[in-house]
Amino acid sequence: PLALIIPKGEAPTSEDLVAHLRDHVAKWWIPDDFIMVKELPIGATGKFLKREIRDEYKGHQWSNSRT
């Protein structure tokens, strides 16, 4: 899985995010990779446009090699 993060201020590192999530969620919920973005596409109803997000990141090359 891939997580898109809209940081407030300085962007956290992937290691910081994983460390935080390990204390709060089951390990299978932790994304394989994180991408910092400025914004996500939102439709007229205020919902995220998931199809556009999927299309944009479909060919994403994973940077983390956690197993």
Side-chain angles (χ1 to χ4, degrees), residues 20-62:
H20 174 77
L21 291 172
R22 280 190 181 135
D23 294 337
H24 294 88
V25 300
K27 70 177 183 177
W28 56 86
W29 280 25
I30 298 175
D32 295 321
D33 206 359
F34 302 89
I35 295 180
M36 304 301 158
V37 297
K38 292 184 185 222
E39 62 185 11
L40 293 171
I42 298 177
T45 61
K47 295 181 180 182
F48 294 116
L49 299 175
K50 293 184 254 180
R51 182 175 293 139
E52 286 185 22
I53 294 168
R54 285 187 200 110
D55 289 346
E56 185 171 344
Y57 295 99
K58 189 184 304 183
H60 175 71
Q61 297 297 315
W62 307 105

